[in-house]
Amino acid sequence: SDAVTCNSRGTVNENGTCSCTADSLGNWQQLAHVASTNINLAGSHYANGYGTPGSGNVWIKPCGTFSNLGSGSVVHIRVTMGSVIDIFYPSGSNSLCDMLQDDTKHIWYNPSSFSFVTPSYHGSLLGGSTNYYPSSVDGRRYLSFWGGSSYRGCCHARSSLFNAPVDTAAWNQDFDIYVRTVQDWTGPQCQYSSSATCGSKGKAQADGTCRDCYPGLYGPQCQNQCNCVLANSESILCSASGACTCKSGYSGRRCQCSAGQFGSGESCSSCHVSCTECSGPSANECSSCKWGYFLVGTRCESGITAVTSNSGGVTTGYNTNVAGRTLQVTKRTSTSWLRVEYNDNFRSLTSTSTSACNWEVLFNGASCPSGRVSGTRYSTSSQNWRRPGTIVGYCRGLSAGTVTLTVRVTQFSSYGCQAETGWNGKYFTLEATEVEPDNPSTTSSFVQSQSVPLATTASVGTGASGTDTGYVSGRSLTFTKKRSDSLMRFTYYDSMRAYQNQVSCDWEVRVDDQSYSSSPLRITVYQEPADNPLHFRTLVGYWPGIAAGSHTMQIYVSPTSGYSGDCYTGWPGIDYFVLEAREVMAGDPALHYVDGINQVDTRDSGVITGRSLSFTKQNATTALRIVYHDNLSAESTSGARACKWTILIDNSPCQSGDISSSQYTSGPQRNRKGSTVIGYCTGVPAGSRTITVSVGAVSGYSCDAYTGWNQRWTLEANEVVLL
């Protein structure tokens, strides 16, 4: 009988099961839709209804339509306002209509305690709470109001639990209201209900399990907490299996795995070194790629071509190609740009009063069509320096297919030039990275932000500035940081000079008119004795803690504290400067760096203090791209001196090619200047590795070295896949 078999809650079927009367009443039914119209919603709208249900911007069904759902704690409403979900039921024995027409008759589901609580009531309006009542739970000022003003609903479309960050409280919010009962018997004998089976926090099903658990809960009886890592998740909601919805770059059941990792249950493992997001550890399980790679299906294919070599030896003279400096690139598309770095040892010498030699990277024998990728060294006759340097540039407008990079040295204008490229067996590095901009038609700057988890922005320009104190004209870059937990890696390439004797100038990266805490990110040029050396230089450094959103990078020049400085920036009409802001993953298992500031080491031989980077290499087949940026000086009180700073991996030089910086000075000089060295080391096994920097005399010379003065140093190792 219906009474015995179905517990008087349904009709018995011929097979002995029941059709439960209230089963469907446990599903959410829409009561109201309010959008795009300024309307003063009063209690009468909920009592009498408004508009045509299912049609138009505003419609409300009369609350009496749902009188069969019960009253008090068995009838629940869900108010959805933007991404925010609030769930209420009538207090005491109040009905649904009583609650909807008042602001002191609702009980609220607190998603942080997973329980129903009595809120602090506002005293007017419809629903909601007093000011800042829910702030300790989800950052909002108010619970959701469903009327009482002339501007639809109030107050938040986001909170710290739903699509963070929380927005500003405001009326004019669109919202929807749904209603259900938790006294919704179901099952073969109508023995299960949402109240008894699911604790009134989910919808009971015929097999005795629950679905549609309330925010923050999951499980067969909605008994488990999702425990989503809110900083990495879209909300506190999770699936029936407990899987949270992760923001871009995060994974794992609770979104506990950061970019560059994938989750398996509660644990996290590293993606392949080419991936920022992945479903597994191999190179064929990528869903997004790092800078310099292209996603082809589920594989990140490298766009990085590089060589670290000592082929060609030393080239002297000008108006000639530099021997051995050749790199062949297979360019995928005609819309992509090539980012180029060229590191070598350079000397500009003349028997006349001045010398200016220019080293330019050529593309298929010609200058870059969008602007030269080059660097000039201007010297006076008293200078006889051999110093390393790194030229940085971006080139667009190159066709797809084979592109051959070469290096040519020329005399600039009417100046003299006796160039020497390469010295002391130094290995040069020539690198080209193919990168695709968001908008191929943009010519003024490179922006890669769409369809990637991490953004890169770069600006290329020309022009000179004689400013001694202040922002350098034209050196400004607006960039958008996509994530709050990422790091910014800045590169600044330009010509820089401190003029006269015992003078010193700083070029500092500032963001939004602010310095990097008490340790500015800067490059320093100190000159002694009097001279006028205008040389190209490259600054590389990291800046953690910058918030997501739009920012502006600028270059601020000033005399070094305690010194005067006649500063000059840029080489007009010939060399292009570069400002680059690249967003990188914090905790990337394939990218490691260490930095410091004002760590001076005056030793002439041995391992430099502090310059030590320990990490775990993920893959035996990848190359290590190593960058070392510091202030280096081979000094002399009389006679020639020559020092060499060498990158050591596990206490030995790179076996595939020496990565080093050699400096020579011919006479009494102290020239403490920022220097950047890059190089690739292949054949390094996977596992624990330590990179250090040692200094020593160049063979045949004595060394008086000075390392680390007045600026931040950076030591970086990045695993990459080369073409």
Side-chain angles (χ1 to χ4, degrees):
S1 69
D2 295 345
V4 175
T5 305
C6 302
N7 296 295
S8 298
R9 298 165 183 158
T11 303
V12 69
N13 300 315
E14 291 183 0
N15 64 359
T17 62
C18 301
S19 296
C20 304
T21 304
D23 186 7
S24 63
L25 302 182
N27 296 318
W28 290 110
Q29 306 171 64
Q30 191 160 9
L31 182 150
H33 172 70
V34 179
S36 304
T37 301
N38 290 337
I39 181 172
N40 186 352
L41 290 173
S44 59
H45 289 98
Y46 292 100
N48 303 322
Y50 184 88
T52 302
S55 176
N57 290 330
V58 180
W59 57 264
I60 302 172
K61 292 180 181 179
C63 57
T65 305
F66 304 96
S67 60
N68 61 334
L69 300 183
S71 61
S73 63
V74 302
V75 57
H76 291 196
I77 69 167
R78 185 183 80 204
V79 180
T80 302
M81 190 172 288
S83 299
V84 173
I85 297 173
D86 277 321
I87 296 175
F88 305 95
Y89 66 67
S91 60
S93 60
N94 288 305
S95 68
L96 173 65
C97 288
D98 293 334
M99 178 178 68
L100 288 173
Q101 297 178 80
D102 207 296
D103 82 324
T104 62
K105 297 177 180 177
H106 54 282
I107 305 296
W108 176 56
Y109 170 74
N110 183 331
S112 67
S113 64
F114 315 104
S115 61
F116 286 92
V117 298
T118 301
S120 176
Y121 295 125
H122 185 270
S124 62
L125 308 175
L126 300 179
S129 68
T130 54
N131 197 5
Y132 292 107
Y133 168 74
S135 62
S136 62
V137 175
D138 60 11
R140 291 183 294 167
R141 288 181 59 185
Y142 300 95
L143 298 180
S144 296
F145 292 95
W146 52 81
S149 172
S150 59
Y151 303 106
R152 301 198 296 277
C154 184
C155 294
H156 296 274
R158 297 194 310 272
S159 76
S160 63
L161 302 183
F162 296 97
N163 192 25
V166 65
D167 56 354
T168 302
W171 286 91
N172 282 319
Q173 302 285 354
D174 298 345
F175 66 93
D176 294 277
I177 300 178
Y178 301 83
V179 62
R180 67 182 288 252
T181 183
V182 295
Q183 207 75 309
D184 53 338
W185 299 102
T186 187
Q189 282 77 49
C190 300
Q191 74 271 41
Y192 305 123
S193 72
S194 294
S195 59
T197 307
C198 308
S200 297
K201 299 166 187 172
K203 172 66 178 84
Q205 302 186 94
D207 62 357
T209 62
C210 304
R211 61 174 169 83
D212 299 336
C213 297
Y214 284 9
L217 297 172
Y218 77 102
Q221 276 71 52
C222 298
Q223 78 279 22
N224 299 324
Q225 298 176 13
C226 298
N227 290 326
C228 302
V229 179
L230 290 176
N232 308 343
S233 308
E234 295 292 347
S235 72
I236 62 169
L237 301 176
C238 65
S239 69
S241 63
C244 303
T245 302
C246 302
K247 294 178 181 178
S248 175
Y250 297 97
S251 61
R253 186 188 70 78
R254 299 185 300 107
C255 305
Q256 76 275 17
C257 304
S258 62
Q261 297 179 319
F262 67 95
S264 178
E266 296 296 316
S267 64
C268 301
S269 302
S270 297
C271 296
H272 187 264
V273 297
S274 61
C275 310
T276 47
E277 297 171 305
C278 68
S279 58
S282 76
N284 296 312
E285 296 175 283
C286 304
S287 53
S288 68
C289 302
K290 291 182 182 176
W291 163 265
Y293 296 85
F294 292 79
L295 185 64
V296 180
T298 58
R299 184 179 182 87
C300 290
E301 296 188 357
S302 178
I304 307 169
T305 308
V307 58
T308 294
S309 172
N310 63 352
S311 65
V314 176
T315 296
T316 58
Y318 62 92
N319 293 336
T320 182
N321 284 359
V322 181
R325 279 61 168 180
T326 300
L327 181 68
Q328 192 170 85
V329 178
T330 301
K331 196 166 177 284
R332 293 168 177 269
T333 71
S334 59
T335 57
S336 63
W337 295 39
L338 286 184
R339 182 192 187 277
V340 175
E341 287 203 33
Y342 167 47
N343 176 259
D344 214 330
N345 198 286
F346 305 94
R347 181 177 74 161
S348 176
L349 183 66
T350 182
S351 57
T352 60
S353 59
T354 56
S355 168
C357 303
N358 179 264
W359 287 262
E360 182 184 9
V361 178
L362 303 179
F363 303 83
N364 293 330
S367 296
C368 169
S370 60
R372 293 166 57 96
V373 178
S374 62
T376 300
R377 292 215 158 176
Y378 172 89
S379 306
T380 66
S381 59
S382 63
Q383 296 176 346
N384 184 11
W385 302 339
R386 295 180 174 96
R387 291 184 175 273
T390 300
I391 294 171
V392 182
Y394 276 80
C395 186
R396 60 175 178 83
L398 299 170
S399 300
T402 300
V403 179
T404 301
L405 277 62
T406 53
V407 178
R408 185 169 178 82
V409 58
T410 58
Q411 174 183 338
F412 175 64
S413 188
S414 59
Y415 296 100
C417 171
Q418 182 180 329
E420 181 180 272
T421 312
W423 181 65
N424 188 41
K426 173 177 168 52
Y427 282 64
F428 69 87
T429 294
L430 185 55
E431 171 194 76
T433 303
E434 185 178 5
V435 287
E436 196 74 48
D438 290 346
N439 184 357
S441 63
T442 300
T443 59
S444 59
S445 62
F446 173 90
V447 179
Q448 186 184 73
S449 179
Q450 300 172 6
S451 303
V452 293
L454 304 159
T456 296
T457 307
S459 176
V460 179
T462 187
S465 171
T467 298
D468 295 328
T469 303
Y471 287 106
V472 181
S473 175
R475 277 62 169 180
S476 178
L477 174 68
T478 299
F479 64 94
T480 298
K481 188 170 183 283
K482 299 184 72 171
R483 299 166 63 107
S484 60
D485 64 341
S486 59
L487 308 174
M488 290 308 303
R489 182 187 190 275
F490 292 110
T491 299
Y492 170 47
Y493 170 73
D494 214 333
S495 291
M496 306 171 197
R497 180 205 70 182
Y499 179 48
Q500 288 299 346
N501 182 38
Q502 295 182 347
V503 294
S504 184
C505 297
D506 298 333
W507 285 260
E508 179 192 351
V509 172
R510 292 190 178 180
V511 175
D512 302 333
D513 202 28
Q514 299 295 316
S515 298
Y516 176 22
S517 65
S518 60
S519 307
L521 182 58
R522 66 191 177 208
I523 185 170
T524 299
V525 174
Y526 172 85
Q527 177 61 42
E528 180 186 346
D531 220 324
N532 186 18
L534 185 56
H535 294 176
F536 60 87
R537 308 186 192 283
T538 303
L539 181 156
V540 177
Y542 284 82
W543 191 326
I546 295 176
S550 179
H551 301 279
T552 300
M553 169 190 180
Q554 292 176 283
I555 304 301
Y556 189 89
V557 64
S558 63
T560 301
S561 178
Y563 292 85
S564 62
D566 183 352
C567 313
Y568 195 85
T569 310
W571 190 281
I574 182 168
D575 294 333
Y576 283 70
F577 63 82
V578 174
L579 280 77
E580 180 185 79
R582 187 186 308 173
E583 192 176 0
V584 300
M585 295 183 293
D588 183 346
L591 175 63
H592 312 273
Y593 82 97
V594 63
D595 60 6
I597 191 167
N598 292 341
Q599 288 182 280
V600 172
D601 192 319
T602 60
R603 77 186 66 215
D604 301 327
S605 63
V607 175
I608 303 298
T609 300
R611 279 65 167 180
S612 179
L613 175 62
S614 295
F615 60 97
T616 300
K617 189 169 186 284
Q618 302 294 309
N619 195 307
T621 62
T622 55
L624 280 180
R625 183 185 192 270
I626 298 174
V627 177
Y628 174 45
H629 173 70
D630 210 335
N631 194 289
L632 310 176
S633 177
E635 306 190 343
S636 172
T637 56
S638 64
R641 300 288 188 271
C643 304
K644 179 180 179 181
W645 289 260
T646 302
I647 300 295
L648 304 180
I649 303 175
D650 298 334
N651 298 315
S652 298
C654 171
Q655 298 302 301
S656 63
D658 184 54
I659 302 173
S660 62
S661 171
S662 295
Q663 292 194 13
Y664 168 88
T665 184
S666 60
Q669 290 177 345
R670 288 197 305 164
N671 294 307
R672 297 169 183 172
K673 297 177 170 65
S675 182
T676 299
V677 178
I678 68 168
Y680 282 83
C681 191
T682 58
V684 179
S688 297
R689 299 286 167 257
T690 298
I691 294 178
T692 52
V693 180
S694 71
V695 67
V698 173
S699 179
Y701 296 90
S702 60
C703 168
D704 184 359
Y706 199 97
T707 306
W709 184 70
N710 193 58
Q711 71 169 64
R712 180 167 291 278
W713 59 266
T714 301
L715 183 58
E716 174 192 78
N718 187 20
E719 282 187 66
V720 299
V721 178
L722 294 174
L723 279 173

